[in-house]
Amino acid sequence: MKKQKIEISIEVFESVSELPKDIQELMNKAQEARKNAYAPYSLFQVGAAIRLASNEITIGSNQENAAYPSGLCAERVAIFHTGALYPNEGIKAIAICASSSKQVLTEPIGPCGACRQSLAEYEQKQKSPIAVYFMGETGKIVKTNSVLDLLPLGFNAKYL
């Protein structure tokens, strides 16, 4: 047996104002999108904004359904919307923010596993990294340089 170590590097920003200006704009768009979340069951609202290589921004928010598995997370709404509108456009970054009607979320909230897998598909398709920025309602923001930093050893098309 041989042990291997997987390491990632993250950057942590203390507030949105510390982010580069273009990412501040992206996070602000994610925060606006979060207001459109339909989350009557979980009371957990998420917004996502994607910046394309052309600097166009697309958004998504989580959309729940009484038949729980029928809902969709903000990140997948945003990435699928982007893929439908701009199928050949490169993606530079995604910003994600979450809030809850039950408590104030001050810790960064990363994407769920299904969203990580969906985002990774687009990163692999374009053959270049997508920066991921995520936060709660307030507080620190975490940045990874790649979706694959969030999903090491992920599943991809080479296994099919």
Side-chain angles (χ1 to χ4, degrees):
M1 179 187 71
K2 178 181 175 185
K3 286 188 178 184
Q4 293 181 322
K5 188 176 187 177
I6 297 174
E7 293 184 21
I8 66 164
S9 292
I10 63 170
E11 293 177 50
V12 180
F13 299 86
E14 293 298 319
S15 68
V16 173
S17 64
E18 275 191 13
L19 295 168
K21 293 290 182 205
D22 62 328
I23 302 303
Q24 286 182 34
E25 178 190 23
L26 195 63
M27 189 60 78
N28 289 335
K29 294 286 187 184
Q31 291 169 330
E32 289 174 26
R34 184 180 66 206
K35 295 174 186 173
N36 296 327
Y38 178 67
Y41 309 105
S42 70
L43 304 177
F44 185 75
Q45 304 86 17
V46 181
I50 293 174
R51 182 176 296 281
L52 302 173
S54 65
N55 285 320
E56 183 78 31
I57 294 176
T58 61
I59 61 167
S61 60
N62 59 316
Q63 302 295 312
E64 294 182 350
N65 191 288
Y68 291 140
S70 299
L72 204 56
C73 299
E75 299 91 329
R76 284 182 282 160
V77 169
I79 197 76
F80 296 156
H81 179 223
T82 301
L85 288 177
Y86 304 97
N88 300 312
E89 183 82 33
I91 298 168
K92 291 172 30 176
I94 181 168
I96 306 156
C97 62
S99 65
S100 171
S101 298
K102 298 176 188 176
Q103 62 182 315
V104 176
L105 301 175
T106 59
E107 295 295 319
I109 311 290
C112 74
C115 288
R116 292 173 194 218
Q117 181 64 44
S118 295
L119 294 169
E121 182 80 14
Y122 283 82
E123 184 171 277
Q124 292 161 356
K125 175 185 165 193
Q126 73 181 27
K127 296 182 174 94
S128 63
I130 298 170
V132 182
Y133 295 82
F134 54 92
M135 66 180 295
E137 187 174 355
T138 64
K140 296 178 181 178
I141 300 100
V142 169
K143 177 201 178 197
T144 65
N145 291 317
S146 169
V147 176
L148 297 180
D149 287 342
L150 296 171
L151 189 68
L153 308 175
F155 184 81
N156 64 55
K158 74 180 180 185
Y159 302 122
L160 300 176

